[in-house]
Amino acid sequence: MSTQEWLCGDSEQMPAAPVIQAIDSGPLICAIIAIGMSIAFLVADHKSRTTRYLAAFLVCIGGSIYFNVTFVRAFPPEAMPWVSHLAPLLTSLSLIFGAQWILRIRRMVPAGSLRTRFGDLQFRLAQGFALIYAVVGVSLNEARAGMFIGAFQNLQGLRQVEFWYFATPLLFSLLCIIDGTLITLRRHPDRPEAVRLLGIALAAPLIASGLVLPAPWAAYGSAVGQMIFLIAAVQYHVLQGQRGQFLKRFLSPSVAELVRREGLGMAMQQQKLPIAVVACDLRGYTRFAQERDSGEVIAVLQQFYDEVGAAAAGHGATIKDYAGDGVLLLLGAPLPVAHHAQHAVKLAASIRQRCEQAFAQQGIELGIGVGVASGTVSVGVIGRERLEYVAVGQAINLAARLCQCAGPGEILVDEATLEQLEDHSHFVAGEKLSLKGFAEQVGTWQLAGV
């Protein structure tokens, strides 16, 4: 029988065509869903390299389903068009991009004292097996169509050696991805990452089952796998959105975005950076705390933190520490900030203005002192079980000392900061101070109320 006769049949067989189309529509819908999901994730977060790998993974899944349905299942093995060779290539690429996507997630999760080499190797092995599947699938395209695609329709096909030519590399690739994902879960990642990793571990074998299951079960398996992954992905983005709102109360928006996109490790790499430091604390707080109810004291502290946080967000500052009635802020770390000295002075003035207005409106007799210093410091992460971002350098100590010496409403600035400013008209020369930890007296400048 010719290819055309096989596809079209004689006049008596023509009514069967709509049945074939109905059966094939399920996998094609799965392909559309996969590609649609990739576009949705890419539009939502196209700047993230991790998201781009995820989008490529989903596009390749959709392409694999489409080509296997349209150009492989719809033809007899000996009469498939040349484009059917793209089906195993797209399946292989989906595994490669999927492994790379999970590997990037893995590298965002702190490992602590756990060894990471074996887990990373799992994903490289998965990509290697995927390449083998592509080579074998393209080389033996007809055998793949006849002995592997939809092989579960007749379990006798599992006994054919040709079936295992394709099943072996695909199966090992999937096992490496799933095992690597489970190993990553042993690191106890935070909830959004755990949900995403668990989702792909459950979804991957179901999506892959669409290759070997007969119609319409192939569509059912792929659809269930995609829904599991979609549920996990939506939950991940909801939790990430909540975490992003939390992070932005403590970090500058740019830092919070970097942590969300690249992970904690990338945002907190140890390095030396030129930064400006702003230290501020309340004046009259001890007496206020002794005379007022503890609930009222906490409410005032919360408002103080809120005012400082709002000012920090407006100038790209990172809140390094809350310590009782004091706050330490960095401009230029973990991310560089252009003209950080200028932003530090504006931030100090904004904090003073906000806090004085808030306290005056409530009739609270509290003042605020601020110290600003600039210099190169070392920043990074210390700790294993509990990570802490630290900044060490002379500028940190100097800002804290200047803050201690500042009276209510005063902003003391060191000479290194002043030298980086173009406009000195709002500054008044202050006293040279003998500060603890500094061998020589430190020159200071006061920022007038502007």
Side-chain angles (χ1 to χ4, degrees), residues 274-295:
I275 69 169
V277 185
V278 177
C280 60
D281 63 24
L282 298 177
R283 299 292 180 263
Y285 173 77
T286 302
R287 184 182 68 255
F288 174 81
Q290 292 174 346
E291 296 174 353
R292 303 296 182 99
D293 178 74
S294 59

Short mmCIF file of all heavy atoms in Angstrom, two decimals, residues 274-295:
data_model
loop_
_atom_site.label_atom_id
_atom_site.label_comp_id
_atom_site.label_asym_id
_atom_site.label_seq_id
_atom_site.Cartn_x
_atom_site.Cartn_y
_atom_site.Cartn_z
N PRO A 274 33.84 49.77 47.50
CA PRO A 274 33.78 51.14 48.03
C PRO A 274 32.33 51.49 48.34
O PRO A 274 31.47 51.44 47.46
CB PRO A 274 34.34 51.98 46.88
CG PRO A 274 34.03 51.20 45.65
CD PRO A 274 34.07 49.74 46.04
N ILE A 275 32.05 51.82 49.57
CA ILE A 275 30.67 52.07 49.97
C ILE A 275 30.60 53.30 50.87
O ILE A 275 31.62 53.84 51.31
CB ILE A 275 30.06 50.86 50.71
CG1 ILE A 275 30.72 50.68 52.09
CG2 ILE A 275 30.16 49.59 49.89
CD1 ILE A 275 30.01 49.68 52.97
N ALA A 276 29.39 53.73 51.12
CA ALA A 276 29.10 54.72 52.16
C ALA A 276 28.23 54.06 53.21
O ALA A 276 27.40 53.19 52.89
CB ALA A 276 28.41 55.94 51.56
N VAL A 277 28.44 54.45 54.45
CA VAL A 277 27.73 53.83 55.58
C VAL A 277 26.96 54.91 56.33
O VAL A 277 27.50 56.00 56.58
CB VAL A 277 28.72 53.13 56.54
CG1 VAL A 277 27.95 52.38 57.63
CG2 VAL A 277 29.64 52.19 55.77
N VAL A 278 25.73 54.61 56.67
CA VAL A 278 24.90 55.52 57.46
C VAL A 278 24.48 54.79 58.73
O VAL A 278 23.89 53.70 58.65
CB VAL A 278 23.65 55.97 56.67
CG1 VAL A 278 22.76 56.86 57.55
CG2 VAL A 278 24.05 56.71 55.41
N ALA A 279 24.82 55.36 59.88
CA ALA A 279 24.42 54.80 61.17
C ALA A 279 23.53 55.82 61.88
O ALA A 279 23.85 57.02 61.89
CB ALA A 279 25.64 54.49 62.02
N CYS A 280 22.43 55.37 62.43
CA CYS A 280 21.53 56.29 63.13
C CYS A 280 20.95 55.60 64.35
O CYS A 280 20.75 54.38 64.36
CB CYS A 280 20.41 56.77 62.20
SG CYS A 280 19.37 55.45 61.54
N ASP A 281 20.74 56.37 65.41
CA ASP A 281 20.02 55.85 66.57
C ASP A 281 19.29 56.98 67.27
O ASP A 281 19.52 58.16 67.01
CB ASP A 281 20.92 55.04 67.51
CG ASP A 281 22.03 55.87 68.13
OD1 ASP A 281 21.89 57.10 68.22
OD2 ASP A 281 23.04 55.29 68.52
N LEU A 282 18.38 56.60 68.15
CA LEU A 282 17.49 57.56 68.81
C LEU A 282 18.17 58.20 70.00
O LEU A 282 18.99 57.58 70.68
CB LEU A 282 16.20 56.85 69.25
CG LEU A 282 15.35 56.23 68.14
CD1 LEU A 282 14.16 55.50 68.73
CD2 LEU A 282 14.89 57.30 67.15
N ARG A 283 17.79 59.43 70.28
CA ARG A 283 18.25 60.16 71.46
C ARG A 283 17.08 60.29 72.43
O ARG A 283 15.97 60.64 72.03
CB ARG A 283 18.76 61.56 71.07
CG ARG A 283 19.94 61.53 70.10
CD ARG A 283 21.19 60.96 70.81
NE ARG A 283 22.33 60.92 69.90
CZ ARG A 283 22.70 59.86 69.23
NH1 ARG A 283 22.02 58.73 69.36
NH2 ARG A 283 23.76 59.90 68.44
N GLY A 284 17.34 59.98 73.70
CA GLY A 284 16.29 60.01 74.71
C GLY A 284 15.50 58.73 74.79
O GLY A 284 14.47 58.66 75.48
N TYR A 285 15.97 57.68 74.12
CA TYR A 285 15.22 56.43 74.06
C TYR A 285 15.20 55.71 75.41
O TYR A 285 14.16 55.16 75.81
CB TYR A 285 15.81 55.52 72.98
CG TYR A 285 15.21 54.14 72.96
CD1 TYR A 285 13.96 53.92 72.41
CD2 TYR A 285 15.89 53.06 73.52
CE1 TYR A 285 13.40 52.65 72.39
CE2 TYR A 285 15.34 51.79 73.51
CZ TYR A 285 14.09 51.59 72.94
OH TYR A 285 13.54 50.34 72.95
N THR A 286 16.32 55.72 76.12
CA THR A 286 16.38 54.99 77.40
C THR A 286 15.35 55.53 78.39
O THR A 286 14.60 54.76 79.02
CB THR A 286 17.79 55.09 78.01
OG1 THR A 286 18.74 54.56 77.07
CG2 THR A 286 17.86 54.30 79.31
N ARG A 287 15.29 56.86 78.53
CA ARG A 287 14.30 57.45 79.44
C ARG A 287 12.88 57.18 78.96
O ARG A 287 11.98 56.87 79.75
CB ARG A 287 14.55 58.97 79.53
CG ARG A 287 13.62 59.67 80.55
CD ARG A 287 13.85 61.16 80.59
NE ARG A 287 13.43 61.82 79.35
CZ ARG A 287 14.25 62.26 78.43
NH1 ARG A 287 15.57 62.11 78.58
NH2 ARG A 287 13.79 62.85 77.34
N PHE A 288 12.69 57.28 77.63
CA PHE A 288 11.37 57.04 77.06
C PHE A 288 10.91 55.61 77.36
O PHE A 288 9.76 55.38 77.74
CB PHE A 288 11.42 57.28 75.56
CG PHE A 288 10.16 56.94 74.82
CD1 PHE A 288 9.08 57.82 74.79
CD2 PHE A 288 10.02 55.72 74.15
CE1 PHE A 288 7.92 57.50 74.11
CE2 PHE A 288 8.86 55.40 73.48
CZ PHE A 288 7.80 56.29 73.45
N ALA A 289 11.81 54.64 77.21
CA ALA A 289 11.46 53.23 77.43
C ALA A 289 11.14 52.96 78.89
O ALA A 289 10.31 52.08 79.21
CB ALA A 289 12.60 52.33 76.97
N GLN A 290 11.77 53.69 79.80
CA GLN A 290 11.51 53.49 81.22
C GLN A 290 10.17 54.06 81.66
O GLN A 290 9.52 53.55 82.58
CB GLN A 290 12.64 54.12 82.04
CG GLN A 290 13.98 53.41 81.90
CD GLN A 290 15.10 54.15 82.60
OE1 GLN A 290 14.95 55.33 82.99
NE2 GLN A 290 16.24 53.47 82.76
N GLU A 291 9.75 55.12 80.97
CA GLU A 291 8.54 55.83 81.39
C GLU A 291 7.28 55.33 80.69
O GLU A 291 6.17 55.63 81.15
CB GLU A 291 8.70 57.33 81.11
CG GLU A 291 9.82 57.98 81.92
CD GLU A 291 10.05 59.42 81.51
OE1 GLU A 291 9.42 59.84 80.49
OE2 GLU A 291 10.82 60.12 82.17
N ARG A 292 7.42 54.59 79.60
CA ARG A 292 6.25 54.19 78.82
C ARG A 292 6.00 52.69 78.92
O ARG A 292 6.88 51.90 79.27
CB ARG A 292 6.44 54.57 77.34
CG ARG A 292 6.69 56.05 77.11
CD ARG A 292 5.52 56.92 77.50
NE ARG A 292 5.78 58.33 77.23
CZ ARG A 292 5.33 58.97 76.14
NH1 ARG A 292 4.61 58.31 75.25
NH2 ARG A 292 5.60 60.25 75.97
N ASP A 293 4.77 52.32 78.60
CA ASP A 293 4.40 50.91 78.53
C ASP A 293 5.19 50.22 77.41
O ASP A 293 5.48 50.82 76.38
CB ASP A 293 2.90 50.78 78.27
CG ASP A 293 2.45 49.33 78.14
OD1 ASP A 293 2.39 48.64 79.15
OD2 ASP A 293 2.20 48.92 76.98
N SER A 294 5.52 48.93 77.64
CA SER A 294 6.36 48.21 76.66
C SER A 294 5.68 48.13 75.30
O SER A 294 6.35 48.19 74.26
CB SER A 294 6.66 46.80 77.18
OG SER A 294 5.46 46.07 77.40
N GLY A 295 4.36 48.00 75.28
CA GLY A 295 3.66 47.96 74.00
C GLY A 295 3.82 49.25 73.23
O GLY A 295 4.00 49.24 72.00
#
